[in-house]
Amino acid sequence: MLKILKTRFQQKHRTLSYPDGPVPELPSRFAGRPVFKTGCKAGCSAACMAACPTNAIVCTPEKSLELDTGRCLFCRACERVCPQGVISFSQDHRLASAKRKGLIIDEDTIDTAPARNDIAAVFFHRSLKLRQVSAGGCNACEADSAVLGTPVWDMGRFGIQFVASPRHADGLLITGPVTENMHLALRKTYAAVPDPKIVIAVGACAVSGGPYAGHAEQHNGAASTVPVDLFIPGCPPHPLSILDGLLKFLGKL
């Protein structure tokens, strides 16, 4: 016990100062908000569309691009094959949106989409209890959500916590594409949450079905089953992206 206390004392304060302090440094391989450097030029082969595993990219006849970050796996395949260097991925972690269409980025998109929810900002600004539901996820989004409860991220300092029962929750945080076996369970869990309640979809699978979109044994994301109030894309989204989305959702940022 004495060794544990000594070690903990030597570690000192470990919680990030964000959002009052600087944004924590992200690894160089982190793929954040997509950026279009220039418009597609004549002779474009649309290699980015062919390389995208989830059909997240649309190239119009006018050679303008749209990228749906709700479908995007952030694999950077489009960035690697684009012969003109049009598409790149920044280190901007701000990806969340209160509306599904806010996840679609084109060449004219300048700023991030709004993520604030008026009901959440009024009722849950100081205390938000969430029941996490893995609706067929691979555990990547679940892990990056759970890590927010560790001493380093400590989302509890903002009054945000995961609870064991939907009866004790203010809303749901859903991961996974909503498989057929989880469809009814998700509906029942949502019904068990008292009003007013909110729903947060985390990860490409929960937003759009991700790489499983269109498969007969899943339902293309949470919005097919319950009303979604916040979308946080990624595969998986970085803990910083999730925390940023939650704080904006509650009107804390």
Side-chain angles (χ1 to χ4, degrees), residues 9-251:
F9 180 77
Q10 291 173 340
Q11 290 173 341
K12 298 182 180 179
H13 186 72
R14 301 185 66 187
T15 304
L16 296 172
S17 59
Y18 177 84
D20 295 330
V23 175
E25 184 177 355
L26 296 169
S28 58
R29 65 181 182 274
F30 172 75
R33 188 175 175 81
V35 175
F36 299 111
K37 296 179 181 178
T38 58
C40 293
K41 300 176 183 178
C44 175
S45 62
C48 57
M49 292 178 59
C52 181
T54 57
N55 299 316
I57 302 174
V58 174
C59 183
T60 68
E62 295 77 22
K63 298 302 180 184
S64 61
L65 283 176
E66 287 185 352
L67 193 154
D68 185 353
T69 59
R71 298 177 67 93
C72 181
L73 304 183
F74 294 82
C75 65
R76 302 185 111 148
C78 56
E79 182 181 39
R80 290 191 294 269
V81 303
C82 180
Q84 301 173 6
V86 173
I87 301 175
S88 64
F89 287 82
S90 70
Q91 288 234 314
D92 190 346
H93 62 278
R94 301 171 300 167
L95 299 169
S97 172
K99 296 186 180 298
R100 178 65 179 86
K101 64 180 180 180
L103 300 181
I104 300 175
I105 298 175
D106 58 27
E107 298 172 15
D108 298 323
T109 303
I110 298 175
D111 204 357
T112 57
R116 176 188 167 95
N117 181 282
D118 291 337
I119 293 177
V122 171
F123 290 98
F124 311 128
H125 181 80
R126 299 184 66 179
S127 176
L128 176 63
K129 311 300 181 187
L130 296 171
R131 175 68 171 98
Q132 201 277 322
V133 179
S134 178
C138 69
N139 279 336
C141 294
E142 292 85 345
D144 277 2
S145 299
V147 79
L148 293 176
T150 63
V152 175
W153 294 97
D154 190 20
M155 67 179 180
R157 60 196 162 116
F158 305 108
I160 309 171
Q161 293 178 322
F162 290 124
V163 294
S165 170
R167 304 256 182 218
H168 302 156
D170 302 310
L172 304 179
L173 187 147
I174 302 171
T175 55
V178 187
T179 59
E180 183 62 30
N181 286 341
M182 281 299 298
H183 187 226
L184 179 59
L186 177 59
R187 289 169 54 193
K188 288 184 175 181
T189 303
Y190 177 77
V193 179
D195 292 323
K197 51 191 170 187
I198 51 92
V199 173
I200 301 166
V202 173
C205 290
V207 174
S208 66
Y212 311 104
H215 195 285
E217 292 300 316
Q218 57 82 50
H219 291 265
N220 293 333
S224 65
T225 307
V226 295
V228 177
D229 302 289
L230 180 67
F231 299 90
I232 305 177
C235 187
H238 192 279
L240 182 59
S241 296
I242 302 173
L243 182 61
D244 175 80
L246 291 174
L247 294 180
K248 288 180 177 176
F249 183 68
L250 297 173

